[in-house]
Amino acid sequence: MNKIIYLVFSIVCLVAVSCSAPKELGYYSDAEHDSAQRILTTYTNTIHPGDQLYIYVNSETIESVIPFNQETHVEAVEMSRVNSVSGSNTVQPMMDAYYQGKIKQVVGYLVDEKGFIQFPILGKIQVAGITYDSLQNVIQRRLKVEEYVKDPVVTISPMNFRVSVVGEVRRPREIHVIGERLTIFEALAMCGDITDSGMRSNVVVMREKNGVATTIEVDLTKKTIFDSEVYYLQQNDIVYVEPNLTKKRLAEMNSEWPKYVTLGFSVASAVHNLSRFLKF
């Protein structure tokens, strides 16, 4: 009798633990095999206060862009100090040092809280709210119109582009990206992918929009992800992978397990005592 009671109790516990929803292990599973899916989302990444920008000005006349580039400008200043004593030519030794990689670390241009950067010679430039391409065109036009550089080619990219991935991924972490474009799948891959306990059908992206924190839910098992505004992640996005029902139930049972064990043994003991009483 006692063996039957404990066997039934064990079976009930195992059933409670194993009851769960089916696992989701695939991505955009509703897409046909060997099919092509057009990405309708257009990527636009605007500049925000707190961003740190790398800006490099190039030209066929190398001497004309030296004041506008942090690395070459630092080298030029140092070389001019040496050459003021020696009396030698400044430009060629400076460029030799530059191309040999003997330059100071570039710190970039920090966008202040009002959305401005302080650019050499051109002064304050409003950058917050516009795209990198737009800022590139603004600087190129000013350098040419104001006759500082005849044929400027400006390259701009973020230096502190980062996103955070948390929740049910193998390696939750903050990702620092070189460049300005990162898809949600690339971010997940950099974190070791979603675990078997993660809900691929309900991934949340937390994003700041005009000073307001918003949450955007996406289903990675559907091909509609390619149309989502969060297919391309933006600066400071937070990706949260929610645990599935199995993980949630296990977590709940773990927290309540001592109570259930105590209750189970109490019931088993009561049944045992009752069975002994009935024998008399």
Side-chain angles (χ1 to χ4, degrees):
M1 183 67 178
N2 290 339
K3 292 182 178 179
I4 295 175
I5 293 173
Y6 286 112
L7 178 61
V8 172
F9 177 72
S10 300
I11 292 173
V12 171
C13 292
L14 289 173
V15 170
V17 171
S18 60
C19 287
S20 61
K23 295 180 179 180
E24 304 166 326
L25 298 178
Y27 293 107
Y28 42 91
S29 54
D30 63 337
E32 297 180 3
H33 291 289
D34 300 322
S35 64
Q37 182 69 29
R38 184 182 297 275
I39 299 175
L40 301 181
T41 302
T42 56
Y43 180 80
T44 56
N45 196 2
T46 56
I47 301 170
H48 302 86
D51 287 355
Q52 195 167 3
L53 310 180
Y54 171 77
I55 303 177
Y56 185 79
V57 183
N58 201 1
S59 171
E60 290 186 0
T61 54
I62 297 176
E63 297 87 346
S64 65
V65 300
I66 290 174
F68 301 101
N69 295 318
Q70 288 181 333
E71 52 266 57
T72 54
H73 180 64
V74 168
E75 285 292 340
V77 170
E78 292 187 352
M79 287 293 180
S80 65
R81 290 174 181 170
V82 174
N83 294 333
S84 64
V85 177
S86 63
S88 59
N89 179 34
T90 302
V91 175
Q92 191 57 47
M94 184 282 300
M95 294 312 299
D96 290 343
Y98 170 68
Y99 284 113
Q100 290 170 13
K102 298 176 181 178
I103 58 177
K104 298 295 182 183
Q105 183 178 3
V106 179
V107 296
Y109 298 92
L110 182 65
V111 184
D112 66 26
E113 58 183 11
K114 295 183 179 179
F116 289 88
I117 62 169
Q118 187 72 36
F119 197 70
I121 300 178
L122 299 184
K124 271 191 171 184
I125 302 177
Q126 175 76 48
V127 299
I130 65 175
T131 64
Y132 292 93
D133 289 341
S134 298
L135 178 57
Q136 174 182 305
N137 293 332
V138 167
I139 295 177
Q140 282 183 174
R141 184 174 63 253
R142 286 196 57 183
L143 290 174
K144 190 172 183 178
V145 170
E146 297 176 29
E147 298 183 351
Y148 292 115
V149 183
K150 183 178 180 181
D151 53 348
V153 177
V154 178
T155 301
I156 303 176
S157 61
M159 296 181 68
N160 62 343
F161 182 23
R162 60 184 181 270
V163 299
S164 299
V165 182
V166 297
E168 289 299 323
V169 292
R170 287 182 172 82
R171 295 188 301 275
R173 56 187 285 239
E174 183 179 78
I175 301 172
H176 294 259
V177 184
I178 298 175
E180 57 176 299
R181 180 173 295 191
L182 180 73
T183 70
I184 190 169
F185 291 112
E186 289 172 331
L188 292 172
M190 294 171 74
C191 294
D193 202 6
I194 297 177
T195 67
D196 292 347
S197 300
M199 284 188 66
R200 289 163 171 77
S201 62
N202 188 30
V203 175
V204 178
V205 177
M206 289 168 270
R207 173 176 294 175
E208 182 181 332
K209 293 182 178 180
N210 300 320
V212 179
T214 60
T215 57
I216 305 160
E217 296 181 0
V218 289
D219 187 346
L220 301 184
T221 68
K222 304 295 183 183
K223 60 185 177 182
T224 51
I225 178 59
F226 296 107
D227 302 335
S228 171
E229 62 181 299
V230 297
Y231 176 72
Y232 289 113
L233 297 175
Q234 295 185 7
Q235 165 79 310
N236 295 325
D237 278 355
I238 299 175
V239 180
Y240 170 61
V241 181
E242 186 178 358
N244 59 22
L245 292 178
T246 304
K247 185 70 175 286
K248 290 179 179 178
R249 287 172 179 171
L250 286 174
E252 291 173 358
M253 290 192 66
N254 288 337
S255 63
E256 299 290 337
W257 186 250
K259 184 190 300 183
Y260 290 135
V261 171
T262 302
L263 178 62
F265 279 108
S266 297
V267 172
S269 177
V271 172
H272 174 68
N273 293 332
L274 180 63
S275 65
R276 290 182 60 187
F277 174 75
L278 294 175
K279 287 181 180 179
F280 288 103

